[in-house]
């Protein structure tokens, strides 16, 4: 029996040497040490041994089992170690590899300029008001002292949706909406937003563009307040050296009305091609709120007065950056847009 046990040990150790995966290892464990395995099979014959032989053979059996178990455990540990190492290797990140640069976005130049304009007026104590882009004929025209068939309506070719509803042609309707909301209280707001006109697109026109409206209403608001405000604005936008001049003009919703020019941003007023040798560039329209407009907004022109102004954001931006074609703003050419990312 002793020989059979020694032979079993030799055979098991021999076979274990060539094991190369955990499944195989487990099969051999069952084959040699399992309940129905080879070792148990041999030891079952111990019943026929004498009392002296039994402990000796028992000891050999234990030694053989221990020897086989030792090798199996070693193999098992080796497989575990290899598996852990493989997993760690698969999870390894090489932090020295160069990263992939993601393109960063930036604020669109038009939004940037609009924000700058808003910041100037917020700094002067103005609030921001907004109104709908789909507007009624009443707010867009009637309440701004532009009755049906008024010739000035032709100045603003409109996109009508129904007979009484249109895409707003300017931000001025927000003036009236604000007055109705403020219910007689003093007003100091700017109203930024998109406006729409039936224009053919070219270097200076677009069917959709951006305006910023201003409205101040209260006791004793005078034209000099308007002028001082606009000078402040222009100097913050274009620099301390910038000056303004007001030229008489006409808008149905203001009386008197004026167009405002700023010192040419290109030549500083000496005269150049950009300002057609005049030294001035037109930047906005303004005036004292027409008494009828105050009335339609629910204010008493005998008690309060007001001034208003309206400017095109595109135009302010064209002048600020010396851009010659408004269409650059809308065509999303990255080569154009990316120039403003760092400004
Ligand atoms: N709404 C005018 C336009 O779109 C601009 C304008 C002019 C607005 C004079 C005003 C103003 O508030 O007083 O052309």
């Amino acid at each position: 029996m002793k020989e059979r046990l020694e032979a079993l040990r030799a055979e098991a150790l021999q076979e274990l040497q060539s094991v190369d995966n955990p499944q195989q290892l487990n099969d051999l464990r069952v084959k040699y040490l399992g309940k129905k395995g080879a070792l148990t099979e041999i030891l079952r014959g111990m019943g026929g041994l004498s009392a002296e032989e039994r402990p000796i053979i028992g000891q050999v059996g234990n030694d053989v089992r221990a020897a086989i178990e030792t090798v199996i455990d070693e193999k098992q540990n080796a497989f575990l170690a290899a598996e852990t190492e493989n997993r760690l290797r698969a999870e390894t990140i090489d932090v020295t590899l160069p990263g992939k640069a993601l393109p960063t976005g930036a604020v669109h130049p038009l939004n940037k300029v609009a924000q700058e304009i808003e910041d100037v007026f917020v700094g002067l104590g103005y609030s921001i008001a907004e109104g709908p882009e789909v507007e009624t004929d009443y707010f867009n025209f009637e309440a701004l002292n532009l009755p049906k068939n008024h010739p000035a309506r032709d100045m603003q070719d409109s996109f009508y949706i129904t007979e009484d509803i249109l895409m707003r042609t300017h931000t001025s309707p927000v003036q009236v909406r604000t007055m109705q909301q403020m219910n007689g209280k003093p007003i100091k707001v700017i109203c930024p937003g998109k406006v729409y006109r039936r224009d053919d697109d070219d270097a200076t026109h677009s069917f959709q563009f951006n305006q910023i409206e201003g409205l101040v209403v209260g006791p004793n608001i005078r034209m000099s307040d308007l002028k001082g405000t606009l000078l402040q604005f222009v100097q913050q936008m274009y620099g301390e050296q910038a000056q303004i001049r007001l030229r008489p003009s006409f808008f149905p919703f203001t009386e008197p009305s004026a167009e405002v020019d700023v010192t040419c941003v290109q030549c500083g007023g000496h005269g150049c091609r950009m300002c057609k040798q005049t030294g001035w560039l037109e930047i906005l329209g303004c005036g004292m709120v027409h008494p009828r407009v105050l009335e339609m907004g629910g204010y008493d022109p005998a008690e309060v007065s007001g001034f208003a102004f309206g400017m095109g954001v595109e135009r302010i931006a064209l002048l600020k950056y010396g851009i010659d074609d408004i269409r650059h703003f809308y065509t999303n050419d990255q080569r154009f847009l990316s120039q403003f990312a760092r400004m």
Side-chain angles (χ1 to χ4, degrees):
M1 239 178 116
K2 191 173 173 209
E3 284 79 49
R4 281 179 68 202
L5 286 170
E6 294 297 353
L8 182 74
R9 180 204 322 242
E11 184 197 328
L13 296 186
Q14 171 72 30
E15 204 174 351
L16 278 167
Q17 256 175 32
S18 59
V19 162
D20 62 5
N21 67 68
Q23 179 60 47
Q24 227 179 344
L25 187 65
N26 204 44
D27 290 348
L28 290 186
R29 186 201 302 276
V30 173
K31 176 177 172 186
Y32 290 107
L33 306 178
K35 260 194 215 135
K36 294 175 186 162
L39 184 60
T40 317
E41 181 64 34
I42 295 172
L43 295 178
R44 218 172 259 146
M46 292 226 325
L49 294 176
S50 65
E52 296 87 57
E53 280 175 318
R54 208 173 288 159
I56 296 165
I57 294 300
Q59 185 59 48
V60 176
N62 283 344
D63 288 352
V64 169
R65 170 178 293 277
I68 296 174
E69 265 174 355
T70 303
V71 175
I72 288 178
D73 287 350
E74 275 169 20
K75 287 267 176 193
Q76 178 101 354
N77 287 338
F79 284 138
L80 259 174
E83 191 193 309
T84 307
E85 199 186 312
N86 280 340
R87 210 185 55 237
L88 287 179
R89 190 171 296 130
E91 286 174 0
T92 299
I93 295 168
D94 182 353
V95 293
T96 66
L97 283 174
K100 284 192 194 124
L102 291 175
T104 30
V107 179
H108 190 280
L110 278 182
N111 290 332
K112 208 164 174 144
V113 169
Q115 276 168 19
E116 258 180 78
I117 299 171
E118 287 170 24
D119 285 349
V120 171
F121 284 102
V122 167
L124 294 174
Y126 285 65
S127 308
I128 294 180
E130 283 183 280
E133 289 171 28
V134 180
E135 188 53 284
T136 60
D137 182 277
Y138 176 79
F139 283 113
N140 196 78
F141 291 127
E142 294 271 344
L144 290 165
N145 200 28
L146 270 136
K148 293 221 157 57
N149 304 319
H150 191 291
R153 283 197 181 201
D154 294 344
M155 283 162 53
Q156 302 185 349
D157 266 333
S158 321
F159 289 117
Y160 276 91
I161 289 165
T162 70
E163 206 178 314
D164 295 313
I165 297 176
L166 71 161
M167 303 307 292
R168 67 177 176 196
T169 58
H170 51 181
T171 42
S172 302
V174 189
Q175 285 190 28
V176 188
R177 288 182 172 276
T178 305
M179 283 191 267
Q180 291 187 354
Q181 271 167 28
M182 290 299 281
N183 208 10
K185 290 195 286 284
I187 296 174
K188 205 169 162 188
V189 291
I190 50 165
C191 326
K194 290 191 184 76
V195 302
Y196 302 82
R197 291 196 196 164
R198 246 178 51 206
D199 265 331
D200 290 327
D201 290 3
D202 63 22
T204 53
H205 295 83
S206 167
F207 71 95
Q208 179 213 276
F209 57 103
N210 296 271
Q211 285 190 331
I212 295 186
E213 192 83 12
L215 176 70
V216 175
V217 178
N220 295 318
I221 300 294
R222 295 163 306 183
M223 191 113 185
S224 53
D225 298 318
L226 170 60
K227 202 175 167 187
T229 300
L230 293 177
L231 182 62
Q232 264 294 319
F233 162 66
V234 156
Q235 292 188 337
Q236 287 201 45
M237 279 307 284
Y238 295 110
E240 289 286 308
Q241 76 295 337
Q243 291 296 320
I244 54 168
R245 73 173 181 186
L246 273 63
R247 282 180 288 106
S249 185
F250 171 79
F251 299 102
F253 29 89
T254 43
E255 180 60 33
S257 303
E259 250 151 344
V260 177
D261 297 339
V262 62
T263 332
C264 179
V265 291
Q266 190 99 308
C267 63
H270 300 297
C272 66
R273 241 180 60 193
M274 189 174 185
C275 58
K276 301 199 181 79
Q277 308 305 329
T278 64
W280 298 97
L281 296 165
E282 183 189 326
I283 57 157
L284 58 85
C286 66
M288 300 307 291
V289 182
H290 197 290
R292 278 229 278 287
V293 176
L294 286 172
E295 269 167 10
M296 280 183 281
Y299 285 73
D300 180 356
E303 300 276 318
V304 295
S305 49
F307 67 71
F309 56 85
M311 66 185 93
V313 178
E314 279 78 353
R315 175 140 181 91
I316 305 276
L318 288 180
L319 298 183
K320 190 171 170 76
Y321 296 122
I323 299 161
D324 58 3
D325 194 322
I326 197 176
R327 287 169 292 195
H328 288 312
F329 289 132
Y330 310 123
T331 42
N332 287 334
D333 185 336
Q334 289 298 322
R335 292 167 302 176
F336 172 76
L337 294 176
S338 62
Q339 298 177 72
F340 301 93
R342 275 159 274 106
M343 277 179 151

